[in-house]
Amino acid sequence: LKQKKEYEEARDVQKPIDRIEQRIAERQKALDSAQAKQLNLEKDIEDAQRELKTAKAAVDELENEEKDLAENVKDAQKTLDKAKDAAKKAGQEASKQETALERLRGKLHETLQKARVEEVELPTKSDDEESSDEEEEEEPEEEEEEEEDSDDGDVANL
């Protein structure tokens, strides 16, 4: 018992207590560091969530803008198609007019050839301007003859 008492008295109890306190202090530092790291991570998460919300809002806005632009493109495409159709129709109409004009020129040429062969004098545009007063005094029979010569209007003016 005496030995045990001596052993207990001789034994340094402070060293294990110091080691435990040191471990506690180290663990407290590690805990504080982990808590600080956790706070930083929470702030980073909040920042990332804010950035995500901002990015989502930007994406939504860009998607809406894309839809609007797609609609504008569709409208422009429709307008372009209409313009192409109108241009095609105008080209066809011009072609028809050119064909009709060629036909009228052919008729005019034929009429002029007949007049030369038959030695008939036809009124021309320059004659019309010089004798506009004289035509008013002429008989209506001559006007009827001129109308018969030109089926599609005043051929002499072409």
Side-chain angles (χ1 to χ4, degrees):
L1 213 47
K2 204 177 189 187
Q3 278 181 343
K4 197 173 185 186
K5 185 179 176 189
E6 285 177 9
Y7 171 74
E8 291 290 328
E9 284 177 5
R11 190 173 134 196
D12 191 12
V13 182
Q14 192 59 36
K15 280 185 181 178
I17 292 175
D18 288 342
R19 274 188 266 158
I20 290 173
E21 284 178 351
Q22 185 179 3
R23 273 194 238 145
I24 289 173
E26 287 174 0
R27 288 186 180 161
Q28 186 63 41
K29 284 181 186 178
L31 178 63
D32 291 343
S33 173
Q35 287 176 341
K37 200 173 192 179
Q38 182 180 4
L39 287 175
N40 286 336
L41 289 174
E42 287 174 356
K43 286 180 185 178
D44 290 346
I45 288 172
E46 288 175 8
D47 291 342
Q49 286 175 340
R50 270 190 248 116
E51 287 178 20
L52 181 63
K53 284 181 183 178
T54 304
K56 282 184 180 180
V59 166
D60 289 342
E61 183 178 326
L62 290 174
E63 285 176 348
N64 290 336
E65 188 175 330
E66 179 189 13
K67 287 178 185 177
D68 291 343
L69 291 175
E71 288 178 23
N72 290 345
V73 166
K74 285 181 183 178
D75 292 343
Q77 188 65 38
K78 287 178 184 177
T79 303
L80 177 64
D81 290 342
K82 287 179 183 178
K84 283 182 179 179
D85 289 343
K88 184 178 177 182
K89 287 178 183 177
Q92 290 173 345
E93 184 63 32
S95 178
K96 286 179 185 177
Q97 292 292 329
E98 286 177 17
T99 304
L101 183 61
E102 285 298 319
R103 256 193 333 236
L104 290 174
R105 283 183 184 153
K107 279 186 176 182
L108 175 63
H109 182 70
E110 187 180 309
T111 304
L112 291 175
Q113 288 296 332
K114 280 184 182 179
R116 276 190 211 144
V117 169
E118 296 175 3
E119 296 179 0
V120 176
E121 212 173 297
L122 294 176
T124 60
K125 187 174 186 177
S126 60
D127 291 343
D128 287 344
E129 291 173 359
E130 292 174 4
S131 63
S132 62
D133 294 332
E134 293 174 12
E135 286 183 6
E136 292 176 3
E137 296 173 4
E138 292 180 8
E139 297 179 13
E141 292 176 13
E142 290 181 18
E143 289 179 15
E144 289 176 11
E145 289 176 332
E146 287 178 18
E147 288 177 11
E148 289 174 6
D149 286 340
S150 60
D151 293 336
D152 293 330
D154 192 11
V155 177
N157 289 334
L158 295 177

